[in-house]
Amino acid sequence: MGAMSRTLVAFHAHPDDEALLTAGTMAKAAAEGHRVVLVLATNGGAGLADDDLRRIGLGQLRLAEAARSAAALGVVRVEWLGYADSGSGPEPEPDLPDVTRFCRAPVEEAAERLAAILRTERADVLLSYDAAGGYGHRDHRRVHEVGARAARIAGTPRVLEATVPRDTIARAVRLAARVYRFPEEFDPTSFERAFTARRDITHRIDVRRHVEAKRSAMRAHASQATGGGASAPGAGVQTGDRTLAVFLRIPRPLYDLVFGREWYRDPSGPFRGGVRRDVFEGLP
């Protein structure tokens, strides 16, 4: 008899976040026969992109890109919780008449929406974000709050906070700087203050066999490889969202080195035996 099939739900703030943080893990789980579901809090409509893309409706375009990304990863279901992108500027975007900005959504309301999916899917693992929201985007911080609450409501056995060791991502940015000139408003030192200390990492997932799927997921988000102007100084990967295009320009051998592993923090860890190498390890 083969290994037990599990269900992995990846909860992300915006379309393209899954490609950057958890795509390899999702592709690996799908390739191993597990059910993989992608849940997006927002449609990414406040993302930075060319004006032509904005005129045709950036949010719907980005949801379509997320569907293509999901297909490349083997995801079987994609859901949008129905909230609007809060934006990455100094203040949240103004309210919309018919859609709530995610950062203003009541945590309990949003958590109930996510918990309904977790219950239906009988999720074994929920991928979420750390309390700082990685690099600090307001929607990412809300993902952490909503994800943690939804898992409690639904009784999901494990929540893993998708992250990156600070020193690793800072090194990746330095390597990227060798082949690409970052915009003046981009603050590479912001990555040295973001994400999670290496000592707090509980899961390190080898995704090198699935790196082509990860690249395909990144390519699917073509709108976020366009210009679109600058965001707030120090906003990290939201600076024009052009960092995605930078990563795709990295030569394949170097790309495999930089993106061949993904990291998580389990709030209940660390574990006896050290860092785990499978998101389902230790589940009953």
Side-chain angles (χ1 to χ4, degrees), residues 34-113:
H34 302 293
R35 181 173 175 85
V36 181
V37 175
L38 172 62
V39 180
L40 299 167
T42 83
N43 61 6
L48 297 169
D50 287 339
D51 289 341
D52 288 345
L53 298 180
R54 288 182 169 282
R55 280 191 288 270
I56 65 174
L58 183 59
Q60 289 304 308
L61 173 60
R62 294 194 68 187
L63 288 176
E65 290 175 340
R68 290 193 288 273
S69 168
L73 300 174
V75 171
V76 296
R77 179 184 178 187
V78 180
E79 292 289 341
W80 169 40
L81 288 189
Y83 296 108
D85 186 346
S86 305
S88 57
E91 299 294 331
E93 293 289 319
D95 283 327
L96 297 170
D98 54 348
V99 184
T100 303
R101 298 288 178 187
F102 186 50
C103 72
R104 297 191 180 103
V107 170
E108 197 70 15
E109 173 198 279
E112 287 287 357
R113 293 186 187 185

Side-chain angles (χ1 to χ4, degrees), residues 15 19 43 69 94 115 117 166 185-186 197 220 241 262:
N43 61 6
S69 168
I117 298 172
R166 292 190 189 107
E185 68 273 7
F186 180 77
D241 282 333
E262 292 175 350

Side-chain angles (χ1 to χ4, degrees), residues 141-214:
R141 295 195 299 270
R142 185 50 56 94
V143 160
H144 169 80
E145 297 168 349
V146 169
R149 178 59 182 148
R152 288 194 293 271
I153 294 170
T156 302
R158 175 170 294 165
V159 178
L160 295 181
E161 299 170 353
T163 188
V164 179
R166 292 190 189 107
D167 57 336
T168 298
I169 196 167
R171 180 168 65 98
V173 171
R174 290 194 296 270
L175 290 171
R178 295 181 182 179
V179 296
Y180 178 77
R181 184 181 181 86
F182 285 108
E184 289 185 5
E185 68 273 7
F186 180 77
D187 178 12
T189 66
S190 65
F191 291 104
E192 298 172 6
R193 303 183 295 273
F195 297 97
T196 302
R198 181 175 290 277
R199 65 179 177 275
D200 295 326
I201 300 293
T202 61
H203 290 69
R204 182 178 65 246
I205 312 302
D206 186 341
V207 300
R208 286 174 292 181
R209 293 180 61 184
H210 307 281
V211 78
E212 186 52 49
K214 186 168 183 172

